[in-house]
Amino acid sequence: MAQELVNYSCGHGEWRQFYGPGAERERKKEWMERGLCPECYRKAQMDKAMADETPVTIRVSLNTANLSDNNKILINAVAEGGTYREKENLKALGFRFGDAPMSGMFGLFAKPQKAWYKIIAVETLDAISGALKFGDYPVVNGISEIDIAAMHDKLIEIDAANKAKAEAAKEKAEKQALIGKSPLRAWIEEKYGNPYWNGKVYEGNVKYNKPSRVYLDNKEVEIPADVYAAQVEWRKRRDEINAKEVAK
């Protein structure tokens, strides 16, 4: 281990710590002195980025995470070309700067590269084309046949599961529309806002002159007779609709 002065090609120098045998330390020092100091290197990279007028394109690829256990199809969108002058536009489109995400089958073995990127999650294969809209920037397809072959079964599985989930949600919403909102819940919201209610209705007792009631935020609240009567009819209709659904 030794500390030596490194004189960079840009004319700047700094003391650096070197490790290993003497010959190895000397070799590394000579290699470093052929280059720029860290500050000049950063400035040179910035100047290069600012001067790059290459048209920006967006390369899309399959995210490696599609091979893991998830319920979304993940697409990587990475901006290429002279991105420095377009960074504000890219930010507005949801891109961020950092290590580009791993793409495709061989992404696990690639060294991370700094870039403007965006990870797009879609639930079905049909939704991919609609999600790949990036203003005026042209899209470059970076999805290889190897990626498709390797991820095919997983993508089809995710696609089918999410389509089934969407269909079930649609049917549930349609059934809920038929059932309508509980008159009792509507009355509670209108009169009391959004208190805690366990969903239970405690039936009244005519013999003891006890009205039907609910507990809102742990406080007993009487239910008006007309609201209770409407709730009884609503529950009857709800049960009939649910029975028809089960019969299907």
Side-chain angles (χ1 to χ4, degrees), residues 5-26:
L5 178 64
V6 177
N7 294 302
Y8 295 101
S9 63
C10 56
H12 299 125
E14 67 174 346
W15 290 92
R16 298 290 298 266
Q17 195 76 41
F18 291 90
Y19 300 89
E24 178 62 21
R25 296 200 304 267
E26 189 61 30

Side-chain angles (χ1 to χ4, degrees), residues 218-237:
N218 297 318
K219 295 179 181 179
E220 183 179 287
V221 175
E222 295 182 3
I223 306 172
D226 60 331
V227 173
Y228 179 75
Q231 180 72 6
V232 170
E233 289 300 315
W234 175 84
R235 283 192 310 215
K236 180 180 178 182
R237 186 173 70 255

Side-chain angles (χ1 to χ4, degrees), residues 89-96 117-119:
N89 290 333
L90 292 170
K91 282 182 186 178
L93 290 171
F95 283 72
R96 59 182 297 179
Y117 72 90
K118 179 179 183 180
I119 298 177

Side-chain angles (χ1 to χ4, degrees), residues 38 55 68 84 119-120 126 143 147 152 186 191 199 207 217 245:
S68 64
Y84 182 82
I119 298 177
I120 302 165
D126 298 335
I143 303 175
D147 296 337
H152 177 270
K191 191 170 180 65
K207 180 178 179 180
D217 290 336
E245 289 295 321

